[in-house]
């Protein structure tokens, strides 16, 4: 597909809308008009006081025009959305929202206009469906008591452990062969502990209050029991934990969990873990390259309960290869029978560099938006019936059915870190490969980011640069505080 963007600033939105409606097209952007041989062209331009949109492909030609008037903020974008709907006959459930933080937008609208008007704007200005608007409103209500408690200097700590026992077929995060990466673990662990100590010094000097710690990845339980204990000991010794209310560790893959690691985590004070089935169907697990069985997940869950964990999350994915509506519902029922405190339901996002995308093995549920939608609706219905509420939600591009990822929790068991990072309510200091430090201006919605290197081998070889980048934290806070006075 060629997307022409001529003389208007809505590049990001136009490109994203192309992906919403044509998730499997490669989009080439051109800023000047030149005839193209591509079988689909989308022309968007501002010409002589008008927005012009023209979509042409084998299905025909759809054209829309509108005057550049008072309501211009979304003028071009809504025109394009309207043209795509007419051309494809599709009406995406999240309307023309293409950003990853719809709840943040709803919160801002609610703060300005109140809940009812914000919901109306969601439906009528952004074309979000009634069901998704209702889901967003519920999510915002559930997270409000937690975001309301955030104070000026609060922050969370994210620790990345970017190793996994095998690479899932839908993953774009792990770059090297798993075997090669594993050899790096001892050196990575050593540098990570050093980075944690340095980060604690920065946070201390700025007078920041640590509220939540989240260890993610990758699969943090690729570390041994000793490495996990040592990492958490360093966190506790280096950071002021007096106001820290939660410590989550993703124990993602059941094939990395054993009693020694669970005991080590619990003894270290970990309050919440994730054990992620993704699916409880063995054939689907095989399709996605996870070399464990559904039974291993169930056993790992029971082992964690026996060890004493009282807050366990389980991640599931809609749109996996080989999953059907019936097998997905079966997975939901089996998860519900285990009675975890949290369930996170993801819609499969196809990343360009994942095996699944490269092999062209697009699952029926991914291509079939209606099927993905039914699966998601079933999860929503059953989790609601079990007393769980949606409490954080985010979206990615190229998601099955153009849907969303939603974290569900029994009231009182929500993971505050998930809310903070998705709502961008407070600063997140990140350590480890792939970590992104997000510095939130406590006096506005401004956010600035500092990136660590994505892959473990870069992190190790360029570690001194990671420490140099930490200097940016104090400088940015100085700016935040200066602007206030
Ligand atoms: S567990 Fe996560 S990070 Fe690891 S390979 Fe699978 S998708 Fe990628």
């Amino acid at each position: 597909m060629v997307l022409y963007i001529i003389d208007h600033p809505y590049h990001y939105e136009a490109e994203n809308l192309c992906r919403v409606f044509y998730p499997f097209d490669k989009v080439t952007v051109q800023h000047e008009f030149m005839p193209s041989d591509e079988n689909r062209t989308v022309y968007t331009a501002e010409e002589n006081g008008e927005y012009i949109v023209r979509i042409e492909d084998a299905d025909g030609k759809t054209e829309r025009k509108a005057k550049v008037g008072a309501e211009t903020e979304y003028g071009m974008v809504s025109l394009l959305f309207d043209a795509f709907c007419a051309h494809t006959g599709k009406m995406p459930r999240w309307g023309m929202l293409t950003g990853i933080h719809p709840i943040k937008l709803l919160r801002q609208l609610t703060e300005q206009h109140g809940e009812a008007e914000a919901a109306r704007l969601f439906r009528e200005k952004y074309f979000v469906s009634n069901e998704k608007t209702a889901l967003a409103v519920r999510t915002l209500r559930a997270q409000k008591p937690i975001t309301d408690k955030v104070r000026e200097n609060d922050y969370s700590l994210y620790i990345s452990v970017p190793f996994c026992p095998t690479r899932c077929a839908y993953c774009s995060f792990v770059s090297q062969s798993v075997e090669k990466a594993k050899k790096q673990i001892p050196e990575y662990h050593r540098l990570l502990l050093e980075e944690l100590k340095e980060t604690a010094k920065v946070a201390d000097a700025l007078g920041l209050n640590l509220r939540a710690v989240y260890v993610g990845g990758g699969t943090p339980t690729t570390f041994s029991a000793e490495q996990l204990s040592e990492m958490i000991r360093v966190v506790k010794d280096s950071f002021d934990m007096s106001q820290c209310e939660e410590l989550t560790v993703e124990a993602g893959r059941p094939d990395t969990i054993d009693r020694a690691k669970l005991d080590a985590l619990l003894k270290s004070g970990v309050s919440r873990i994730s054990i992620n089935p993704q699916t409880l169907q063995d054939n689907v697990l095989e399709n996605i390259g996870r070399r464990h069985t559904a039974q291993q997940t169930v056993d790992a869950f029971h082992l964690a309960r026996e060890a004493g964990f009282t807050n366990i999350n389980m991640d599931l994915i809609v749109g996996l290869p080989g999953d059907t509506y019936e097998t997905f519902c079966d997975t939901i029922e089996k998860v519900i029978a285990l009675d975890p405190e949290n369930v996170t339901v993801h819609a499969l996002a196809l990343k360009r560099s994942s095996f699944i995308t490269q092999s062209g093995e697009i699952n029926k549920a991914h291509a079939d938006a209606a099927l993905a939608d039914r699966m998601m609706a079933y999860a929503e219905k059953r989790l609601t019936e079990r007393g769980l509420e949606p409490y954080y939600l985010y979206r990615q591009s190229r998601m099955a059915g153009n849907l969303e990822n939603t974290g569900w929790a029994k009231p009182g068991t929500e993971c505050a870190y998930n809310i903070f990072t998705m709502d961008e309510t407070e600063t997140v200091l990140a350590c480890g490969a792939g970590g992104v430090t997000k510095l939130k201006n406590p006096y506005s919605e401004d956010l600035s980011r500092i990136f660590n290197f994505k892959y473990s081998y870069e992190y190790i070889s360029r570690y001194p640069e990671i420490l140099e980048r930490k200097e940016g934290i104090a400088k940015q806070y100085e700016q935040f505080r200066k602007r206030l006075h």
Side-chain angles (χ1 to χ4, degrees), residues 44-110:
T44 64
E46 188 183 331
E47 290 170 10
N48 306 321
E50 273 189 329
Y51 289 129
I52 298 173
V53 163
R54 194 164 48 244
I55 304 162
E56 281 185 273
D57 60 13
D59 296 331
K61 179 169 157 181
T62 303
E63 195 165 23
R64 292 283 187 275
K65 289 184 183 180
K67 281 215 171 338
V68 178
E71 272 284 306
T72 54
E73 192 194 351
Y74 281 93
M76 165 59 86
V77 187
S78 59
L79 199 67
L80 184 57
F81 181 78
D82 185 47
F84 271 133
C85 289
H87 193 80
T88 61
K90 288 184 194 165
M91 179 59 92
R93 313 281 273 152
W94 286 95
M96 65 184 206
L97 292 187
T98 54
I100 57 175
H101 302 297
I103 308 304
K104 184 178 172 186
L105 173 64
L106 185 66
R107 174 175 60 74
Q108 289 166 347
L109 291 171
T110 303

Side-chain angles (χ1 to χ4, degrees), residues 303-324:
L303 200 64
R305 280 285 195 240
E306 275 165 37
F309 281 97
T310 54
N311 192 349
I312 303 178
N313 171 66
M314 301 191 99
D315 276 3
L316 297 173
I317 302 180
V318 162
L320 291 174
D323 214 5
T324 65

Side-chain angles (χ1 to χ4, degrees), residues 226-242:
E226 294 70 30
Q227 285 166 330
L228 287 166
S229 300
E230 199 187 350
M231 177 179 71
I232 296 167
R233 186 185 53 72
V234 165
V235 170
K236 290 186 150 178
D237 288 352
S238 315
F239 290 84
D240 176 357
M241 301 293 284
S242 59

Side-chain angles (χ1 to χ4, degrees), residues 203-219:
D204 255 8
L206 288 168
L208 304 182
N209 312 313
L210 180 59
R211 302 302 302 278
V213 178
Y214 192 99
V215 186
T219 307

Side-chain angles (χ1 to χ4, degrees), residues 162-174 178 217-219 250 252-253 276 278 288 290:
F163 303 102
C164 292
T166 58
R167 179 175 166 183
C168 304
Y170 51 82
C171 181
S172 65
F173 183 65
V174 176
V178 172
T219 307
E250 281 185 19
R253 308 258 297 243
N276 299 329
Q278 314 304 12
I288 59 173
R290 284 170 76 105

